[in-house]
């Protein structure tokens, strides 16, 4: 049976969405690491600080993908 995808555009303001609800939804979809994935948080912290300094952080993306998804690009 073929999979059917539907695309919908919705005009939403991000400040209308509660952060905790968003995190719950992303975790339920497997889009965020669950608690205990300190490695992913550490990588994101490093990326954040590099970005704030205007330095590239692309080199950390592969590590983040592996930490969260368990896959290598």
């Amino acid at each position: 049976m073929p999979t059917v995808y539907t695309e919908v555009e919705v005009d939403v303001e991000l400040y209308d969405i509660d952060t905790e609800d968003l995190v719950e939804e992303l975790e339920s979809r497997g889009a965020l690491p669950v608690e205990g994935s300190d490695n992913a948080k550490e990588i994101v912290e490093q990326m954040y600080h590099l970005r704030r300094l205007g330095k590239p952080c692309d080199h950390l993306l592969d590590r983040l993908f592996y930490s969260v998804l368990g896959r290598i690009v």
Side-chain angles (χ1 to χ4, degrees):
M1 174 178 246
T3 303
V4 177
Y5 293 97
T6 302
E7 213 172 286
V8 177
E9 275 191 43
V10 179
D11 201 14
V12 176
E13 297 295 329
L14 289 179
Y15 58 82
D16 290 339
I17 300 172
D18 182 54
T19 303
E20 298 216 3
D21 290 339
L22 181 58
V23 169
E24 270 183 38
E25 181 64 26
L26 291 172
E27 283 179 344
S28 74
R29 295 177 184 212
L32 280 181
V34 293
E35 278 191 50
S37 183
D38 294 329
N39 190 38
K41 184 176 179 180
E42 180 182 312
I43 295 167
V44 172
E45 286 284 342
Q46 292 173 9
M47 292 174 73
Y48 171 78
H49 290 294
L50 287 172
R51 179 102 166 124
R52 286 199 61 208
L53 295 171
K55 296 182 178 182
C57 60
D58 298 347
H59 63 284
L60 294 171
L61 281 176
D62 287 339
R63 285 182 48 208
L64 184 61
F65 292 152
Y66 182 73
S67 177
V68 174
L69 303 174
R71 292 187 255 171
I72 299 174
V73 179

